[in-house]
């Protein structure tokens, strides 16, 4: 296995563990990360040695360890940027009256880092944060794919696009033109979302989610304008925070 492929699989495994605050067993982790059990065990052994994951001997489930603070403290110390993200998401939820959030996207998937539950949430369970989601099931994932060239998209997606790769390529062109992506019935039946990428170039995005019956074409256009505006508003602070994190070797990086 190449070093690049192993590194990517390590990131996917770590994200899959982080997406389960109550812990995750080896078999479930192998399925979620699309990595064999043997490879999972090798990766987990290193992550445990570094303190990034811990194993509960009673439940035999893995959880995130305190060692991850070593790579996140630089970003978390950017108090102004962190506060601005939290405030922007809260205002987006209040403005749209729907659930809003902030994601990190890479080739390994979409990680929901922050969400603010909207006042009209009905019929849908509140999902835990952080959580890992697939690219094609989310508006955030499609918004990120729209920033890539066609050969790269085809290589990443393969035959995985539900409506076919050619249809996806056409959809991505529309996303680039209007600046936001829409997904209906992606994560689960009856769920919809609208997302836009920030301009910091490090895979960050903001989104609004809710039930499909409220996400009509007209409403999606309104929500699209909201996420585009909020993404642009956050871009300067994110550029500063990510730039400093890269300089110090800390903070979130773009894995893909």
């Amino acid at each position: 296995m190449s070093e690049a492929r192993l590194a990517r699989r390590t990131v996917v495994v770590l994200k899959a563990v982080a997406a389960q605050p109550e812990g995750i067993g080896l078999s479930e982790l192998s399925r979620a990360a699309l990595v064999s059990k043997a490879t999972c065990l090798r990766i987990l052994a290193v992550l445990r040695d570094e303190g990034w994951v811990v194993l509960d001997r009673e439940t035999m489930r893995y959880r995130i360890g305190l060692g991850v603070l070593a790579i996140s403290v630089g970003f978390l110390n950017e108090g102004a940027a962190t506060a601005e993200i939290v405030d922007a998401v809260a205002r987006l939820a209040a403005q749209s009256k729907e659930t809003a959030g902030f994601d990190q996207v890479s080739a390994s998937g979409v990680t929901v880092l922050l969400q603010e539950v909207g006042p009209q949430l009905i019929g849908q369970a509140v999902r835990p944060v952080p959580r890992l989601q697939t690219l094609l099931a989310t508006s955030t994932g499609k918004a990120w794919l729209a920033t890539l060239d066609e050969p790269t998209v085809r290589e990443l997606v393969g035959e995985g696009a539900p409506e076919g790769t050619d249809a996806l390529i056409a959809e991505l062109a529309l996303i680039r033109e209007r600046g936001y992506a829409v997904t209906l019935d992606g994560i689960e039946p009856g769920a919809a979302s609208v997302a836009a990428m920030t301009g910091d170039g490090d895979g960050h995005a903001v989104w609004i989610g809710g039930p499909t019956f409220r996400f009509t074409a007209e409403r999606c256009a309104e929500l699209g304008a909201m996420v585009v505006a909020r993404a642009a508003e956050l871009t300067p602070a994110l550029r500063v925070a990510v730039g400093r994190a890269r300089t110090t070797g800390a903070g979130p990086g773009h894995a893909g």
Side-chain angles (χ1 to χ4, degrees), residues 12-85:
V12 173
V13 167
L14 187 59
K15 284 184 174 182
V17 175
Q20 300 294 332
E22 301 302 317
I24 184 170
L26 178 61
S27 295
E28 185 182 355
L29 177 58
S30 176
R31 291 191 297 270
L34 300 178
V35 176
S36 70
K37 288 184 181 180
T39 300
C40 267
L41 283 173
R42 290 198 297 271
I43 292 172
L44 288 166
V46 175
L47 294 177
R48 288 176 62 194
D49 287 344
E50 295 296 328
W52 288 19
V53 301
V54 294
L55 174 64
D56 187 322
R57 290 293 184 180
E58 292 186 3
T59 64
M60 296 305 292
R61 298 177 75 83
Y62 294 89
R63 300 192 315 276
I64 287 296
L66 294 178
V68 296
L69 291 176
I71 60 169
S72 62
V73 66
F75 185 74
L76 294 175
N77 283 341
E78 293 291 342
T82 305
E84 193 164 340
I85 294 169

Side-chain angles (χ1 to χ4, degrees), residues 232-251:
E233 177 185 311
L234 278 175
T235 294
L238 287 170
R239 282 177 174 165
V240 171
V242 171
R244 290 180 181 176
R246 284 173 174 164
T247 300
T248 60

Side-chain angles (χ1 to χ4, degrees), residues 2 23 25 47 96 102-103 107 127 133 165 180 188 196 198 221 231 254-255:
S2 70
L47 294 177
S96 65
F102 178 79
D103 293 353
R127 294 174 175 271
Q133 301 177 153
T165 307
Y180 64 89
E188 61 183 73
T198 64
H254 185 201

Side-chain angles (χ1 to χ4, degrees), residues 98-99 124 190-193 208-212 214-215:
E98 305 285 359
T99 297
Q124 292 173 302
S193 64
I208 297 170
T212 52
R214 284 204 296 266
F215 279 54

